[in-house]
Amino acid sequence: MENLPKTYTPQEIEGKWYQFWQKNNYFHAEAISEKPSYAIVIPPPNITGSLHVGHALDNTLQDCLIRWRRMQGYNTLWMPGTDHAGIVTELIMERKLAEEGTSRTAIGREKFIERMWQWKAESAGYIVSQLQQIGCSCDWERERFTLDEGLSEAVRTAFVKFYEQGLIYRDTYMANWCPECNTVISNLEVEPIEIDGNFYHIRYPVKDSEVVLEIATTRPETMLGDTAVAVHPDDERYQHLIGKKAHLPLCDREIPIIADAYVDREFGTGALKVTPAHDTNDYEIGLRHNLEQCIVFTRDGYINENAPERYVGLPRSGCRQRVVEDLQNTDSLVKIVPHRHAVGHHDRCGAVVEPTISLQWFMDVRPLARRAIEATQKGEVKFIPARETARFYHWMENIEPWPIARQRWWGHRIPIWYCNACDTITAAMETPQQCECGASDFRQEEDVLDTWFSSGLWPFSTMGWPAETPELTTFYPTSVLVSGWDILFFWVARMIMLGLGCMDEVPFRTVYLHGLVADEKGQKMSKSKGNSIDPLETIATYGADAFRFALANASTPLPYVALPESQIEAGRRFANKIWNAARFIFMNLEKHPMPVEMDTVEINRGTLEIEWIQSRLNYTIETTTDALENFRFHEAAQTLYAFLWHEFCDWYLEFTKQRIAQETPEALWVAANVLEQTMRLIHPIMPFLSEEIWQQLRYGGSSSESALDKNSVTVAPWPEPMGENPTAEATMATLMEVIESIRSIRGELNVPLGASVEIHIQSPDAEIRDRLETYLAQYLPAFTRVASVTIAETLQKPPASAESVIGNLAIYIPLANVIDLDAERVRLSKRYQQAVKDVTAAQKTLDNPNFVQRAPERVVSQKRAQLERLLVEQEKLARSLEILTQSAEGNDD
RNA sequence: GGGCGGGUAGCUCAGGUGGCUAGAGCGACAGCCUUACAAGCUGUAGGUCACAGGUUCAAGUCCUGUCCCGCCUACCA
């Protein structure tokens, strides 16, 4: 067939069909519809980013769900869009600027933001086109961006609302500070990394005493900000010192010795230096004891003038070095002990985070967290896998105020205005006209919001909130949220809280958290580790469908999913297999055109292979649907793979060849019909290939312009199961066993393929004989070359023949000229030994009276039947072996 | 320190509520260009299901303990 090349070439198919879908608007969701709704909002990728393998997995799974539900007749919305991704994006721009020999601060806020928008404009289409290349069926007309006009309004609305509720407030508080990025960050953004550091033991002399307190610290430079030494109130060693003063070396200051139960007597020396301005715990101690907060770092990580002059202006690391040297020189350093401990690093830039007191905007998320917990407990949100629910609760129950401001530029500027006359604070949608003091001169807050604040509003901000839009009515709450578990707290939890806060309702009913893609060593794939595969390269090499199949197939419920190259290769082979099965059908359809429409192919109830394949198809429909229903993507992929390859291709199409040779092409038409339905089933996973073949099947291969105004598998109905046929399946199973036995004999005894063989089958079962007579002669030639088939109730084993036993059925193949009797003896005795082993096991089970008494009748009778069959096999094999051995001995004479 | 997940064939993994002879893909070996597919076909080999107990008629599956591996989480300076 000229228009179907022998090898599947995805590159020639994929682009064409994506355009076709777009042109026909199949992905469009109606804001108002009679149909039931099904909605997913995309986890918005970074606007300037590119697709990595995690996106590929995430979006493939979403597309599977969306395409499947669309075919089921839902009014499906897949809401696409992108995120401005605050700090990450800024950092990349800063690197660019550095390459140009300038910097963020040099060009200033206005110019910087201008550059960001410019870059956004240049790169925005890139990520979208990548999503399209893997086939995502998003409603692109609705594409949104977190810094859009509409979404910005949503951000301001939410902020003002929470401010007015008192949930958002400004406070001087301890928060994690990144000196590289010059901004405060939240706990979630701090990544503790184990490093080899040191424990510095330092002497703090006690005033008016001979005693010297020894304290231990990993951060000696912070002593410049010490305002106390703490000991445990019950620590007998230090009881007498409580209330006295210690002399702080290098600073020439006196600091109080206080008692606080926080101190661990067992740890270090039992005496703790307290730096309330630069340590979270010390901060708490400081509050309890009214200690002075002495900030010694500048915002960009240098020592400020609160420290003695000789340290001012030093960077943190340099300062540590000088402090240690000075301690040594003044004989204040006792010792340095190597010590491994976790140090917080900023997850975006990698800098060591410095906890610092500053005036910040916070959101008290605790009330919303409580509501989120309650809503989840009531079942309004369900997590899959269920184990994630516990993680969610744990996080929510221990949640702390969220520092929502970032001292950055790229993002939503906080809608707070300060009166220049009286410093009154106003939260508003836009610049206020007049202050209550009468002045009308305002300055807006410089800080922007944490990028997760706007993405937390995503499920409703994208649908037009705060306006009351039909989209919100139709699609909110959305159906499912699909994401990696690594952003459960960052994003999913925030969406639930902010959704409850703004919409009074959870944003989605189900959260499906898939695993993260790992390499063959089990390491998470990421660009920074350099172990990532590039989705675009993969698509170029293997095709999007092969990639998608591999992703779906790899998507087990484990926290990490393995995606070795061989999986993708397997996907490609599968695509090629489907392609060639279709070619086979098309080629033969040309010779035997279908007399009726595809959907009305008559089911020939009398023909075994047709009943069988239809039964198997129905099983496949049921299993695939059930798998998708339960987010078991790997099971859907496996089921379709096994059906298409090992049942449809390996068996059914071989039957079909026979039928065509017999001039009864009904089987071929059924093959076309089954393939058509299977293409619908596999469409969610392999959209391009299934569309190509589906179009060819339905519209006779008019793959170009003429098909453009026609229907699409995208909107074809999801197949309905018509019930299974156990009788046909059982009969076919017997036939398959017979055929496999014959092939096995030929294979093991090296009977050349060209050689025709006589086949003698003996079975005492009249019904089995009848079925074999009806079908075997028809089917066999498709699988092996046969000269004749004899079926009888009793049969003399022909001389020099190979034998196979299936229960009470025996197959003999005379191989007078070919057979190697030794090989046959080895083969049979191997079978015999297996039979003995199986018989012993089954016998043992049945000999146990408790089994017969207590096991369900079904299991017992099954076991009995099994034993019976095995016994017959064993006996037959034993007899044949005996004969073989005798004849061998006879030959020896 | 707590918690979660995992340890099944050489490799990567399946094996919802315990019950056929523990499966697949890749790899290995042997034989095939059989008129859809060599990105294919046929056959074969390969597993004491981490270990030790226990519950049960029956355990890869449930319980307890142990050992490894990974992750999340935690204020030990």
Side-chain angles (χ1 to χ4, degrees):
Chain A
M1 212 164 151
E2 305 120 50
N3 53 348
L4 279 187
K6 207 170 169 181
T7 304
Y8 177 52
T9 44
Q11 297 76 11
E12 289 170 23
I13 308 292
E14 295 176 353
K16 172 183 78 179
W17 288 117
Y18 202 90
Q19 281 173 14
F20 169 77
W21 296 328
Q22 284 269 71
K23 190 171 167 185
N24 286 282
N25 228 13
Y26 291 128
F27 305 157
H28 181 66
E30 298 296 338
I32 297 167
S33 165
E34 299 282 296
K35 299 178 183 175
S37 309
Y38 187 86
I40 296 178
V41 293
I42 202 169
N46 296 359
I47 184 69
T48 55
S50 59
L51 205 71
H52 60 69
V53 66
H55 289 126
L57 173 67
D58 193 51
N59 289 296
T60 293
L61 300 185
Q62 288 174 74
D63 197 41
C64 283
L65 292 172
I66 284 286
R67 285 181 183 270
W68 165 56
R69 292 297 192 185
R70 187 182 290 123
M71 291 175 76
Q72 280 190 326
Y74 286 84
N75 177 32
T76 47
L77 166 64
W78 189 5
M79 175 68 80
T82 48
D83 194 289
H84 66 281
I87 294 175
V88 205
T89 320
E90 274 198 39
L91 288 179
I92 301 169
M93 177 55 84
E94 283 196 86
R95 236 173 283 149
K96 283 172 187 255
L97 291 175
E99 280 165 24
E100 294 169 21
T102 178
S103 74
R104 180 171 83 117
T105 40
I107 65 172
R109 182 170 193 148
E110 207 172 311
K111 189 83 189 142
F112 183 79
I113 291 176
E114 203 177 291
R115 282 290 303 267
M116 293 295 288
W117 279 102
Q118 197 185 322
W119 183 30
K120 183 250 173 197
E122 289 160 12
S123 54
Y126 191 52
I127 190 90
V128 167
S129 93
Q130 291 182 314
L131 288 169
Q132 294 178 343
Q133 281 186 57
I134 65 170
C136 293
S137 60
C138 304
D139 187 354
W140 293 109
E141 285 171 32
R142 298 181 184 276
E143 186 189 343
R144 306 308 296 268
F145 173 52
T146 45
L147 286 177
D148 273 352
E149 192 59 45
L151 274 67
S152 300
E153 192 196 332
V155 167
R156 288 195 297 271
T157 308
F159 186 98
V160 171
K161 182 184 169 86
F162 294 136
Y163 178 82
E164 283 167 0
Q165 290 174 346
L167 292 178
I168 287 178
Y169 56 92
R170 198 159 77 135
D171 194 10
T172 301
Y173 196 72
M174 173 64 67
N176 296 294
W177 183 270
C178 175
E180 283 297 318
C181 302
N182 266 291
T183 181
V184 71
I185 54 177
S186 74
N187 287 345
L188 279 177
E189 288 150 89
V190 179
E191 198 182 346
I193 299 176
E194 288 262 315
I195 58 159
D196 289 310
N198 290 313
F199 236 152
Y200 301 87
H201 289 245
I202 308 167
R203 288 190 191 95
Y204 283 23
V206 179
K207 195 188 168 195
D208 303 329
S209 162
E210 293 304 303
V211 184
V212 173
L213 263 180
E214 184 179 325
I215 61 97
T217 179
T218 54
R219 297 194 301 158
E221 70 280 9
T222 60
M223 70 179 287
L224 304 177
D226 279 4
T227 55
V229 173
V231 296
H232 193 277
D234 302 333
D235 194 330
E236 286 171 7
R237 293 171 294 178
Y238 303 125
Q239 281 282 313
H240 61 291
L241 300 179
I242 296 168
K244 295 196 178 217
K245 302 259 180 192
H247 180 261
L248 183 63
L250 312 184
C251 294
D252 208 24
R253 276 197 315 213
E254 282 172 8
I255 54 177
I257 299 168
I258 58 169
D260 196 288
Y262 166 76
V263 179
D264 182 348
R265 276 171 284 184
E266 313 296 319
F267 192 80
T269 60
L272 172 71
K273 67 188 264 315
V274 184
T275 323
H278 294 294
D279 183 279
T280 314
N281 297 304
D282 294 6
Y283 173 75
E284 298 291 337
I285 296 173
L287 290 185
R288 284 197 287 273
H289 298 272
N290 247 324
L291 297 178
E292 195 192 327
Q293 297 166 342
C294 176
I295 298 172
V296 291
F297 295 121
T298 64
R299 293 198 143 197
D300 43 5
Y302 293 86
I303 304 302
N304 71 12
E305 49 294 331
N306 289 336
E309 209 184 326
R310 60 185 267 99
Y311 305 107
V312 176
L314 287 174
R316 289 180 292 169
S317 53
C319 178
R320 175 176 298 181
Q321 206 182 340
R322 180 166 299 179
V323 164
V324 173
E325 281 167 15
D326 291 348
L327 287 170
Q328 259 161 350
N329 295 337
T330 55
D331 200 29
S332 298
L333 189 70
V334 183
K335 58 183 171 181
I336 301 176
V337 185
H339 179 63
R340 193 168 170 78
H341 62 135
V343 175
H345 292 67
H346 187 191
D347 64 350
R348 292 305 178 191
C349 74
V352 172
V353 167
E354 210 64 66
T356 302
I357 289 173
S358 59
L359 182 59
Q360 291 292 336
W361 286 98
F362 291 90
M363 178 160 175
D364 182 4
V365 274
R366 285 169 299 189
L368 292 174
R370 259 196 307 280
R371 287 180 66 188
I373 291 169
E374 282 161 20
T376 309
Q377 282 166 340
K378 276 190 272 179
E380 289 168 27
V381 190
K382 192 178 153 196
F383 291 88
I384 297 172
R387 70 175 113 88
E388 299 294 342
T389 319
R391 268 181 78 221
F392 176 74
Y393 284 147
H394 182 253
W395 172 255
M396 284 306 215
E397 281 157 7
N398 296 291
I399 203 160
E400 288 173 29
W402 175 16
I404 49 173
R406 296 291 178 270
Q407 289 68 50
R408 303 294 305 190
W409 293 342
W410 178 239
H412 299 94
R413 196 156 164 184
I414 290 179
I416 286 286
W417 282 264
Y418 304 97
C419 173
N420 279 332
C422 69
D423 275 345
T424 295
I425 293 174
T426 310
M429 294 299 288
E430 47 197 70
T431 314
Q433 296 300 307
Q434 200 174 33
C435 179
E436 52 193 27
C437 75
S440 55
D441 186 17
F442 295 91
R443 60 181 193 282
Q444 188 176 356
E445 169 64 58
E446 296 284 328
D447 292 356
V448 297
L449 284 163
D450 182 0
T451 202
W452 296 104
F453 189 88
S454 55
S455 38
L457 310 174
W458 188 249
F460 45 97
S461 64
T462 51
M463 294 187 197
W465 189 84
E468 286 171 22
T469 62
E471 279 82 357
L472 282 170
T473 313
T474 303
F475 297 113
Y476 193 95
T478 62
S479 310
V480 184
L481 184 96
V482 179
S483 153
W485 52 261
D486 53 335
I487 52 172
L488 174 61
F489 306 144
F490 278 110
W491 190 47
V492 182
R494 263 92 179 247
M495 280 191 287
I496 296 175
M497 292 190 290
L498 297 181
L500 284 164
C502 295
M503 297 292 295
D504 229 12
E505 178 136 45
V506 295
F508 25 72
R509 292 293 175 210
T510 304
V511 178
Y512 176 67
L513 297 166
H514 57 250
L516 311 180
V517 183
D519 65 8
E520 53 285 336
K521 288 179 211 131
Q523 294 285 306
K524 177 183 166 182
M525 277 189 186
S526 69
K527 261 189 268 179
S528 53
K529 284 188 197 150
N531 61 350
S532 184
I533 60 170
D534 177 4
L536 290 191
E537 272 176 35
T538 307
I539 290 171
T541 313
Y542 298 99
D545 285 323
F547 188 34
R548 288 171 62 116
F549 182 83
L551 288 165
N553 196 31
S555 181
T556 68
L558 294 177
Y560 289 90
V561 303
L563 191 68
E565 187 110 7
S566 63
Q567 284 281 334
I568 305 165
E569 173 67 28
R572 176 171 72 157
R573 290 186 193 180
F574 184 41
N576 191 54
K577 187 74 181 175
I578 298 171
W579 179 257
N580 276 290
R583 272 183 73 222
F584 170 77
I585 290 170
F586 294 139
M587 285 168 78
N588 286 289
L589 278 178
E590 282 183 351
K591 289 175 242 160
H592 306 277
M594 218 180 289
V596 288
E597 285 293 307
M598 177 73 62
D599 307 312
T600 57
V601 169
E602 277 293 311
I603 296 168
N604 188 340
R605 288 260 163 229
T607 310
L608 177 64
E609 81 274 8
I610 291 177
E611 290 188 350
W612 172 76
I613 196 66
Q614 282 171 339
S615 180
R616 296 310 298 156
L617 172 65
N618 284 321
Y619 168 83
T620 306
I621 294 171
E622 281 165 22
T623 312
T624 306
T625 309
D626 184 65
L628 290 174
E629 206 85 62
N630 293 291
F631 302 93
R632 293 204 292 262
F633 297 95
H634 66 293
E635 194 183 316
Q638 292 278 336
T639 304
L640 288 162
Y641 184 95
F643 173 72
L644 265 168
W645 199 309
H646 297 305
E647 298 188 312
F648 187 67
C649 290
D650 286 354
W651 290 95
Y652 187 76
L653 289 185
E654 296 304 319
F655 293 142
T656 307
K657 287 178 185 169
Q658 259 332 92
R659 294 301 187 190
I660 291 167
Q662 293 158 3
E663 296 294 329
T664 48
E666 287 84 3
L668 171 67
W669 300 333
V670 171
N673 177 283
V674 169
L675 184 64
E676 189 272 340
Q677 292 194 60
T678 314
M679 287 306 98
R680 281 191 263 153
L681 279 181
I682 210 164
H683 180 257
I685 300 176
M686 304 177 97
F688 299 104
L689 176 63
S690 57
E691 182 76 291
E692 173 73 18
I693 292 171
W694 190 87
Q695 292 284 347
Q696 294 249 8
L697 276 167
R698 296 192 76 92
Y699 304 113
S702 49
S703 58
S704 56
E705 290 304 309
S706 63
L708 287 183
D709 56 352
K710 287 180 182 162
N711 214 336
S712 163
V713 67
T714 305
V715 290
W718 186 250
E720 290 289 335
M722 309 291 281
E724 288 166 45
N725 186 335
T727 315
E729 295 209 11
T731 307
M732 189 55 88
T734 308
L735 277 162
M736 284 173 163
E737 264 189 297
V738 170
I739 290 166
E740 278 167 349
S741 290
I742 295 166
R743 289 202 298 216
S744 175
I745 289 173
R746 297 194 68 135
E748 286 186 67
L749 296 180
N750 280 318
V751 179
L753 201 75
S756 282
V757 290
E758 278 175 43
I759 294 173
H760 302 261
I761 297 173
Q762 178 259 314
S763 168
D765 189 326
E767 203 185 321
I768 297 273
R769 285 204 308 277
D770 187 50
R771 288 183 201 157
L772 291 175
E773 267 157 24
T774 312
Y775 294 109
L776 198 59
Q778 298 175 17
Y779 292 158
L780 254 186
F783 298 96
T784 192
R785 207 158 285 188
V786 288
S788 66
V789 181
T790 313
I791 300 168
E793 185 175 0
T794 54
L795 198 61
Q796 197 66 36
K797 179 176 176 178
S801 61
E803 174 178 2
S804 188
V805 176
I806 307 165
N808 58 14
L809 183 149
I811 302 166
Y812 306 111
I813 304 179
L815 295 166
N817 302 321
V818 230
I819 194 161
D820 174 346
L821 284 179
D822 287 327
E824 172 67 358
R825 199 177 307 114
V826 168
R827 202 181 67 85
L828 275 189
S829 75
K830 220 163 44 183
R831 295 279 194 280
Y832 174 72
Q833 277 155 23
Q834 185 60 48
V836 170
K837 216 172 107 188
D838 294 344
V839 164
T840 315
Q843 190 75 62
K844 196 181 154 200
T845 307
L846 280 164
D847 282 349
N848 183 346
N850 282 325
F851 172 73
V852 183
Q853 260 169 38
R854 301 201 200 181
E857 179 51 35
R858 185 181 53 84
V859 176
V860 176
S861 59
Q862 232 171 34
K863 195 48 100 179
R864 285 212 172 100
Q866 186 198 339
L867 176 63
E868 202 178 315
R869 179 187 151 128
L870 285 168
L871 278 170
V872 176
E873 269 183 23
Q874 185 190 348
E875 196 189 328
K876 273 179 179 287
L877 287 165
R879 204 171 329 128
S880 299
L881 266 175
E882 203 181 311
I883 294 167
L884 255 184
T885 311
Q886 278 168 6
S887 66
E889 282 162 3
N891 287 345
D892 288 345
D893 288 343

